[in-house]
Amino acid sequence: MRSLTEQDIRASFVNCTKGEAKRLAVPRDLDQRPWDDLDFLGWRDPGAPDRSYLVAEHGSGLVGVALRFPSVRRGFLHRSLCSVCLTTHPGNGVSLMTARKAGAAGREGNSVGVYMCADLACSLYVRGKKVPESGGRFEETLTPEEQIARTVGNLSSFLRKLHE
């Protein structure tokens, strides 16, 4: 992924108003992000524990998505699978992230959801740059490049649903 500026990020959101995009908390460490290892930029809102954000290259431009997730606490023995990168996590390591749809459908209250790594570090898990806490990744016969392509495809599928 190419490096992004705060302006790029704020202008990319498709499922919130311009005012909401202007007020959301953008990471202050953009210059320190491992852009070459990211398929998307994801972060949690430090001021709102039930909100997170995702910005990805999709189609011919950037798509930013405001996400919400429940604060349900699961037991450590409970394991879940991220549907984007296929990493398993214990407890609350995977959450159902929901996003308002773009346009009129979103204003009417329609939303879509995806089970995703709660820390939004799918790109790093797929590349082996980050290891899930007591979770893991399945042994696969796919090459790392094929796993990355699958992750990007799974995310693109979710992003397409925002406009359906």
Side-chain angles (χ1 to χ4, degrees):
M1 178 172 206
R2 67 179 173 92
S3 64
L4 302 176
T5 65
E6 182 176 339
Q7 183 62 28
D8 293 333
I9 293 167
R10 292 190 189 283
S12 71
F13 281 87
V14 297
N15 70 337
C16 61
T17 66
K18 288 183 182 182
E20 289 170 330
K22 186 176 180 180
R23 291 186 301 273
L24 63 84
V26 174
R28 298 290 170 216
D29 64 346
L30 293 175
D31 58 334
Q32 299 168 6
R33 296 287 172 134
W35 295 105
D36 291 339
D37 292 325
L38 297 180
D39 302 308
F40 63 89
L41 173 65
W43 72 99
R44 293 180 74 163
D45 190 328
D50 65 336
R51 289 190 194 144
S52 58
Y53 307 98
L54 182 147
V55 177
E57 295 174 8
H58 182 69
S60 61
L62 289 175
V63 174
V65 182
L67 301 161
R68 288 192 175 262
F69 58 95
S71 58
V72 175
R73 303 294 296 170
R74 291 191 208 123
F76 188 75
L77 296 177
H78 178 87
R79 295 198 177 279
S80 298
L81 179 70
C82 172
S83 62
V84 174
C85 68
L86 304 184
T87 300
T88 60
H89 293 274
N92 291 323
V94 172
S95 287
L96 174 61
M97 305 277 187
T98 58
R100 274 190 310 202
K101 285 189 153 196
R107 288 189 295 276
E108 292 173 5
N110 296 325
S111 63
V112 294
V114 63
Y115 283 96
M116 195 169 185
C117 296
D119 62 1
L120 300 168
C122 298
S123 302
L124 301 178
Y125 292 125
V126 168
R127 288 169 174 78
K129 305 276 182 176
K130 188 170 183 178
V131 178
E133 178 186 323
S134 299
R137 297 201 26 89
F138 294 109
E139 283 285 325
E140 295 192 69
T141 57
L142 296 178
T143 66
E145 292 76 22
E146 291 170 326
Q147 292 177 42
I148 291 166
R150 180 185 60 209
T151 298
V152 170
N154 290 343
L155 181 63
S156 291
S157 175
F158 168 68
L159 294 175
R160 271 193 304 276
K161 292 176 186 174
L162 291 171
H163 298 283
E164 291 177 348

